[in-house]
């Protein structure tokens, strides 16, 4: 899978807001490797008032990264991110791994509870943000909704997915699922670039942001050969989820052993699972977002997926 050339050509400017003395070298170098122009406080001319110049940098940014820390006060970061929210900028917030004190008004954005030394997770996060065709907020203004079921239109996807499963065609399987999710009305569904690929698909939704604090990572497997193979895939998905700084991911599979038993959850508690034909059948009367929300609620409250 590849990102479109249009997405590749997009030029990004980024403002990083962090307490003085915070080690943001991994954030800086990750963005620079992705050809992002950094707009940093040290770009402010001496002798000028601080706030107007910071506001100017935020105004000229496409992406604003806020870094919250335990050992240093982050009021200025929260204030500056608030300015970015008011201006409609794309927001990414980094917080300590076990942080519980994320301001409520920031929880709707991409919040990564990871160490600033976790370069893999930082790289993965920026790959997804920068590959998205536009921000969820912009799409919201365009009137995109994520509560649509597909009705009888889903039948063509059910037929195609069955054909792909019989042929054991993994590439075709992924494309069918991806197209169905996109047509279900989610804000953004981005295929992960091959050169830094962890998940097959990253799904952006305001509801996912409020539930998880990040987009939903989706892994797709056309066939799980046996229970041992299924367990291995679940462990890989759990590792992918952890390394990405995410909380939940979704495994969509074709043929294979049923994963509805409670015993499966102990292998990968952070990985939701659903068979492809079951997912598509549910999408006849439910939106993809609501299906995932129900899976997550079942896992949290009943211990099953």
């Amino acid at each position: 899978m590849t990102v479109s050339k249009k997405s590749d050509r997009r030029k990004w400017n980024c403002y990083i807001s962090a307490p003085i003395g915070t080690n943001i070298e991994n954030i800086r170098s990750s963005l620079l490797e992705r050809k992002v122009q950094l707009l940093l406080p040290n770009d402010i001319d001496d002798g000028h008032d601080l706030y107007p110049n910071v506001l100017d940098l935020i105004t000229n940014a496409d992406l604003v990264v806020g870094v919250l820390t335990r050992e240093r006060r982050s009021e200025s970061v929260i204030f500056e991110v608030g300015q970015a929210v008011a201006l409609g900028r794309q927001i990414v917030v980094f917080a300590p791994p076990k942080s519980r004190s994320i301001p409520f008004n920031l929880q709707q954005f991409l919040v990564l509870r990871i160490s600033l030394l976790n370069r893999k997770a930082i790289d993965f996060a920026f790959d997804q943000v920068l590959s998205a065709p536009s921000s969820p907020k912009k799409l919201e203004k365009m009137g995109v909704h994520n509560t649509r079921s597909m009705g009888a239109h889903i039948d063509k996807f059910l037929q195609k997915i069955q054909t792909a499963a019989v042929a054991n065609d993994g590439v075709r399987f992924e494309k069918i699922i991806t197209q169905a999710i996109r047509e279900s009305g989610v804000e953004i569904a981005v295929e992960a670039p091959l050169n830094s690929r962890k998940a097959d698909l990253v799904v952006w939704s305001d509801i996912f942001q409020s539930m998880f604090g990040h987009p939903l990572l989706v892994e797709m497997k056309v066939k799980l050969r046996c229970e041992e193979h299924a367990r291995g895939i679940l462990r890989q998905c759990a590792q992918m989820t952890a390394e990405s700084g995410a909380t939940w991911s979704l495994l969509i599979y074709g043929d294979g052993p049923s994963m509805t038993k409670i015993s499966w959850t102990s292998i990968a508690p952070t990985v939701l699972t659903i068979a492809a034909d079951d997912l598509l059948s549910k999408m006849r009367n439910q939106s993809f977002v609501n299906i995932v929300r129900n899976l997550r609620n079942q896992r949290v409250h009943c211990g099953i997926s």
Side-chain angles (χ1 to χ4, degrees):
M1 296 181 182
T2 57
V3 179
S4 67
K5 292 182 179 179
K6 182 178 179 181
S7 179
D8 286 341
R9 288 198 299 266
R10 183 178 177 185
K11 301 298 183 183
W12 288 78
N13 293 324
C14 177
Y15 173 74
I16 302 175
S17 177
I20 295 174
T22 304
N23 182 0
I24 59 171
E25 183 55 36
N26 278 331
I27 294 175
R28 287 173 55 107
S29 58
S30 181
L31 289 166
L32 288 172
E33 284 186 7
R34 286 154 181 77
K35 310 300 181 184
V36 175
Q37 176 68 41
L38 300 184
L39 307 176
L40 300 173
N42 59 13
D43 294 328
I44 299 173
D45 295 332
D46 293 336
H48 286 72
D49 186 32
L50 180 65
Y51 172 69
N53 284 276
V54 168
L55 181 59
D56 185 59
L57 292 177
I58 295 173
T59 301
N60 288 300
D62 305 295
L63 171 66
V64 172
V65 174
V67 182
L68 306 179
T69 62
R70 281 201 193 93
E71 66 277 6
R72 297 181 179 89
R73 299 175 66 84
S74 301
E75 285 85 350
S76 63
V77 175
I78 295 172
F79 177 79
E80 291 175 3
V81 171
Q83 295 298 306
V85 172
L87 290 168
R89 299 300 180 256
Q90 182 84 350
I91 308 294
V92 175
V93 177
F94 289 89
K98 296 183 180 180
S99 175
R100 300 291 182 183
S101 58
I102 306 301
F104 178 78
N105 61 338
L106 297 184
Q107 293 178 16
Q108 61 180 304
F109 302 106
L110 177 55
V111 178
L112 300 169
R113 292 177 172 83
I114 59 175
S115 167
L116 296 180
L117 300 179
N118 189 342
R119 179 60 184 269
K120 288 184 179 179
I122 292 171
D123 286 346
F124 181 74
F126 286 139
D127 280 336
Q128 306 321 312
V129 171
L130 300 177
S131 64
S134 61
S135 73
K137 291 298 177 183
K138 290 180 181 178
L139 288 176
E140 183 180 337
K141 293 177 182 178
M142 294 166 58
V144 179
H145 304 287
N146 56 22
T147 58
R148 184 171 69 240
S149 60
M150 298 185 67
H153 183 60
I154 201 66
D155 289 338
K156 69 173 185 179
F157 291 102
L158 279 165
Q159 295 172 357
K160 290 179 179 179
I161 209 68
Q162 291 167 1
T163 301
V166 170
N168 197 27
D169 188 340
V171 173
R172 182 63 177 159
F173 180 85
E174 291 180 15
K175 289 185 177 298
I176 294 166
I177 295 293
T178 300
Q179 184 181 358
I181 292 174
R182 282 178 172 158
E183 292 190 18
S184 74
V186 297
E187 284 95 335
I188 308 175
V190 182
E191 296 170 89
L194 283 172
N195 60 358
S196 59
R197 181 170 172 178
K198 287 185 174 67
D200 293 320
L201 191 68
V202 181
V203 181
W204 298 74
S205 162
D206 284 343
I207 294 178
F208 290 159
Q209 291 289 93
S210 63
M211 286 173 57
F212 310 144
H214 59 79
L216 178 71
L217 309 183
V218 179
E219 183 71 10
M220 294 173 275
K221 295 295 180 184
V222 67
K223 186 174 183 178
L224 301 175
R225 297 187 298 273
C226 59
E227 288 198 1
E228 182 178 357
H229 181 228
R231 293 174 192 274
I233 295 299
L234 282 173
R235 293 188 184 98
Q236 290 176 17
C237 289
Q239 181 178 359
M240 168 195 73
T241 307
E243 289 181 350
S244 303
T247 308
W248 297 94
S249 59
L250 174 67
L251 171 63
I252 303 172
Y253 61 97
D255 293 334
S258 173
M259 293 189 178
T260 58
K261 297 179 181 179
I262 294 179
S263 59
W264 285 97
T265 65
S266 62
I267 301 171
T270 60
V271 182
L272 305 173
T273 62
I274 191 168
D277 55 355
D278 187 24
L279 170 65
L280 295 178
S281 295
K282 289 180 183 296
M283 288 172 67
R284 184 187 308 279
N285 300 310
Q286 302 178 54
S287 70
F288 173 77
V289 170
N290 284 336
I291 293 169
V292 174
R293 178 165 53 186
N294 289 337
L295 288 174
R296 182 258 188 186
N297 289 343
Q298 290 171 9
R299 174 65 63 84
V300 170
H301 298 297
C302 305
I304 61 175
S305 61

